[in-house]
Every structure is written in structure tokens, then in C-alpha cells.
Amino acid sequence: MVVEGKIRIRAQRTGRETDMARIAELMTRAVSEQSEREIQSSRLADRLAPVTLGLGAGLYLATNDLRRALSVLTVDFACAVKFPAPLVVKTSVHAAARQGVVIKSGRGLEALGEVDCFLFDKTGTLTQGELDVTDIFTGEGTDEADLLRSAAAVEDRYGHPMGRALIRETTRRRLSPPKARSVDLSVAHGVSGRVGDALIRVGSHHFIQDDCGVDCSPADERAARLRAEGKSLVFVSRDGALLGMIALMDTIRSEAADVVAGLRKNGARRVVLLTGDHEGTAKAFAERFPLVDSVHAGLTPEDKAGIVKELRESGHKVAMVGDGVNDAPAFTAADVGVCMSRASVAMATTSSLAFLQVSTVQSLAFSPALIVDLVAFLTALDLVAAYPMTPPTTAPAVNMATLPRLI
């Protein structure tokens, strides 16, 4: 409420450009696009219609009784074949949408039922995605406050979980980061920008040492110990010299173990962890979460897509579960892409199957436990396809009662 003076509002996006409009478009597409089972049942019904009419005409010619002929038309098998599949799909999509879950299409829903290999990106999927700063290593001639201010300055405009953690720690310590300019993001590696006349780089060990040529050896011993504890490391350099290293720790989701167990119970043969973290950090996570079959560390977005393609070529039906821009190539390469928490609407549209729980236009979250409910739903859909002559009195819908609210 403005008591005195003026308020000027500038709309960055309006109409069809807004996130809400794009979500509505996803829902419209989900209802309008036919799944393979819907197409098959429609074709079968079209083939049965002439048979029904022919039987009615034959009975009339044989008996000259119009009532008996019409009785054949009353028992029309074509309707029983055609209606159940679209009714089940569309009712379930609608029921999910009422709970804030957007399923992009019936085709994606069907594809999920055939998946036997789930690939999880680590941060924000199996983990909470809310990292905390636990340890700080500073180089010569600097202190923790200087290190945090420099790192937060270039991370301020990007929503990566590590960047958010650095900014939260800076805020907690009541530090004021300087303004950065010429900020450049290297996806899955790091970010760089100028603070004053100095070039600040923040990112992984690979980015700082291998890509930028900064000597990180002073922190090697400390880094090995922190990785063994399962911590993720962020290195910071200034003008080509190591400024310091920051360790962060994430928490495994409380429902993650139940979700993976549920996936295996419903037919998942392999569960694979993909991460851009260092191999030592990934191994420590695998020890804390032993339900995954294999771990791949130090991956770029292209590497993740490559692993997806290899698994598909080996005969697996693959679902990629992720929450960030790093996962877009893997979403495209997989049979099913599952877009999870805090992903933007733009990211959701790159996946073949999007599960979004919407609280506001900007805030999106997803519970991986929904996958288990949907696999169970696909079983019900298979029963409908197997017995098409008896339409269900009520369409099965996705069970949302037990979903944890993450936002």
C-alpha cells in the first residue's frame, strides 16, 4: 500500500510470455495429445463399429424384428473399447493438476511405465538442494570475510544451490558483497566476473585449475579430507591466484530411500547417480546412500547425455531425473525426462515428462515419491488395455494423499 508518493511497476513479461501461461499451455497440450494406448483403442473401436452395424443388419434380415436388431446396437463393444483409455489418462492428468502436478502428456506417462533404469542427478533430487557452508580454507594474504565477499559478488545473479549457499553465509555474517560486472557463467563448471579491477573466478577444482590454470595445490591435502567427508568444494581465485576454498554439505532427502526402494519394487532394474561433483565427494555420498547401483562423478551436461545414450543402446528404457539447466541434454536424450524441484518453467518444457508442484508463479517444487504413485497408476492403465470391454465406473487417479509438501 502506497500512502504517499508514486509507485512505478514495470511488467517484464505479459500474457502468453508469463510462467503461468506456459504452465496452462503444458496442461492444454497434455489433454489434447493422445497417448499410444488411446490411439490403439480408437483404431480398434473404429474397426468394431462396422462389425456391430453388420450384426444388427444381419439380425434384422434374419428375423425381421427391429427390436432385436437394435439390441445389438445397444451392446456396442466399440464404445467399451474406445472410452476407457482416454478417460483414465485425462482424469488422472486433471487430478494431478489439481494437486499442483503438471504431467505433460499421456505419451510420457506411458513411457514411464516401461522405464527400467532411473538416472538421478544428485543435488536437489536425492538431496535437499540446500547446502550449508561448513569449512573455509583461505590462501595467503586473505581472510574468510574477503573470500566470501568475492565469491558472493559473482554468484549473486545465478540460482545454483552452491551460489545460494555462499550468499546465505555472506548474509548470515552480515557481509556486503561488492558489485561485479562482466559476469560469465560456464555451465557445470563455474562463474567468473570482475570486482573492481580484479578478475574473480568461482567454481570446481577442474574449472579453476585445469580450465583457468590456477595452482590449487596448497589446498589439496585439506580438499582430500573434506571430500572424504562427502562435502562439495568451491574454489575461488583472484587474478590467477588461489584465494581460497569453501566446503559445503547437503542433506539427503528423508524420503529418498523409500522412493528408490519403491522404484525397484515397481520394476526398476538399475538406479544410477550422476553428479558434477569430484569423485571423492561422490563416493562418500554413495557410502551414505548405498541404494544406487553405480556412481558417475565429474560430469558435464554432455557427459550425462552420453551416459543416457549408452544405457539406451544397451537395451534399457531410461528416465533422467534432474532439476537444473545442467540436465537439459540428458532430458532430451532419455526416454523420459523428469523435471524436479526449483526448475524453471523453461527447463520443464525441455523434459519429456514434467512433474511440477506450483505454489507461486516463480516457485516450483516436486516430490520424487510421485514416481512410485505413477508407476502404480500405469499398472491400472495396463489392466484397462487388457480388458477393454468393461469400462471402469470410476477412473483411477494418481494418489496425492501421501506426497510430502516440500515448499
Side-chain angles (χ1 to χ4, degrees):
M1 182 176 64
V2 179
V3 178
E4 184 178 347
K6 299 179 180 179
I7 181 171
R8 181 175 297 177
I9 300 175
R10 180 180 179 181
Q12 299 286 348
R13 289 180 293 177
T14 60
R16 297 185 64 180
E17 297 178 350
T18 61
D19 287 345
M20 189 60 69
R22 296 172 73 178
I23 292 172
E25 184 180 351
L26 286 178
M27 290 304 305
T28 302
R29 190 185 311 161
V31 175
S32 61
E33 289 184 359
Q34 286 189 315
S35 66
E36 188 63 31
R37 284 185 177 86
E38 290 177 272
I39 294 173
Q40 290 176 356
S41 63
S42 181
R43 288 175 179 172
L44 181 58
D46 291 341
R47 293 173 183 172
L48 286 175
V51 175
T52 302
L53 293 174
L55 287 173
L59 187 60
Y60 178 73
L61 293 175
T63 64
N64 199 28
D65 189 337
L66 182 60
R67 290 179 298 175
R68 292 186 178 181
L70 291 177
S71 67
V72 175
L73 301 181
T74 303
V75 187
D76 183 8
F77 295 113
C79 293
V81 171
K82 191 169 187 176
F83 289 158
L87 185 63
V88 169
V89 172
K90 289 176 174 57
T91 301
S92 296
V93 168
H94 176 69
R98 291 175 61 186
Q99 297 292 330
V101 181
V102 178
I103 302 173
K104 289 181 60 177
S105 70
R107 289 179 181 270
L109 201 56
E110 285 182 341
L112 184 63
E114 301 174 357
V115 168
D116 62 0
C117 179
F118 282 85
L119 276 62
F120 284 90
D121 177 58
K122 180 174 72 69
T123 304
T125 55
L126 294 177
T127 66
Q128 295 286 357
E130 292 295 333
L131 292 86
D132 295 312
V133 174
T134 59
D135 303 86
I136 297 179
F137 170 84
T138 57
E140 295 183 5
T142 189
D143 55 23
E144 292 186 359
D146 182 32
L147 177 63
L148 285 170
R149 278 197 299 263
S150 299
V154 295
E155 289 280 7
D156 188 38
R157 66 192 67 189
Y158 296 107
H160 191 278
M162 289 186 175
R164 293 199 304 267
L166 295 177
I167 294 170
R168 282 199 308 272
E169 182 66 15
T170 304
T171 302
R172 187 184 70 82
R173 298 190 181 202
R174 298 182 180 180
L175 302 174
S176 299
K179 295 293 183 181
R181 54 187 173 83
S182 302
V183 178
D184 180 45
L185 174 67
S186 178
V187 176
H189 290 287
V191 61
S192 61
R194 291 202 168 271
V195 177
D197 295 329
L199 176 61
I200 302 296
R201 293 188 176 100
V202 182
S204 65
H205 182 274
H206 173 78
F207 175 67
I208 298 298
Q209 178 161 295
D210 299 339
D211 293 349
C212 302
V214 178
D215 180 19
C216 296
S217 59
D220 284 350
E221 183 179 346
R222 182 81 175 273
R225 187 167 65 254
L226 292 171
R227 290 189 184 110
E229 298 173 4
K231 296 176 181 178
S232 300
L233 305 181
V234 175
F235 292 80
V236 184
S237 71
R238 176 191 288 155
D239 290 334
L242 182 66
L243 196 63
M245 175 186 69
I246 303 172
L248 306 103
M249 191 72 172
D250 203 352
T251 304
I252 297 176
R253 289 181 183 269
S254 58
E255 71 272 22
D258 291 337
V259 169
V260 174
L263 292 176
R264 292 192 183 279
K265 183 179 178 181
N266 284 279
R269 290 159 48 195
R270 292 194 65 185
V271 177
V272 181
L273 177 67
L274 307 181
T275 178
D277 277 340
H278 189 275
E279 185 176 357
T281 302
K283 286 183 177 179
F285 176 86
E287 292 176 359
R288 294 163 54 207
F289 193 80
L291 298 176
V292 294
D293 296 307
S294 58
V295 177
H296 298 269
L299 301 178
T300 64
E302 292 73 19
D303 293 334
K304 293 180 182 179
I307 292 174
V308 171
K309 292 177 182 177
E310 290 177 6
L311 288 169
R312 291 188 66 188
E313 290 172 358
S314 66
H316 287 287
K317 292 291 185 179
V318 179
M320 175 64 198
V321 186
D323 75 332
V325 68
N326 300 354
D327 305 312
F331 282 158
T332 305
D335 294 285
V336 178
V338 181
C339 186
M340 284 183 53
S341 60
R342 295 185 181 85
S344 66
V345 176
M347 275 302 305
T349 58
T350 66
S351 61
S352 58
L353 185 63
F355 303 96
L356 308 175
Q357 189 173 15
V358 184
S359 62
T360 66
V361 175
Q362 292 82 15
S363 177
L364 308 177
F366 163 72
S367 169
L370 179 59
I371 297 175
V372 178
D373 288 327
L374 287 173
V375 172
F377 160 71
L378 261 295
T379 303
L381 191 59
D382 283 331
L383 292 176
V384 172
Y387 302 97
M389 300 304 179
T390 307
T393 56
T394 58
V398 180
N399 177 19
M400 302 292 170
T402 59
L403 293 185
R405 294 288 180 175
L406 302 181
I407 53 177

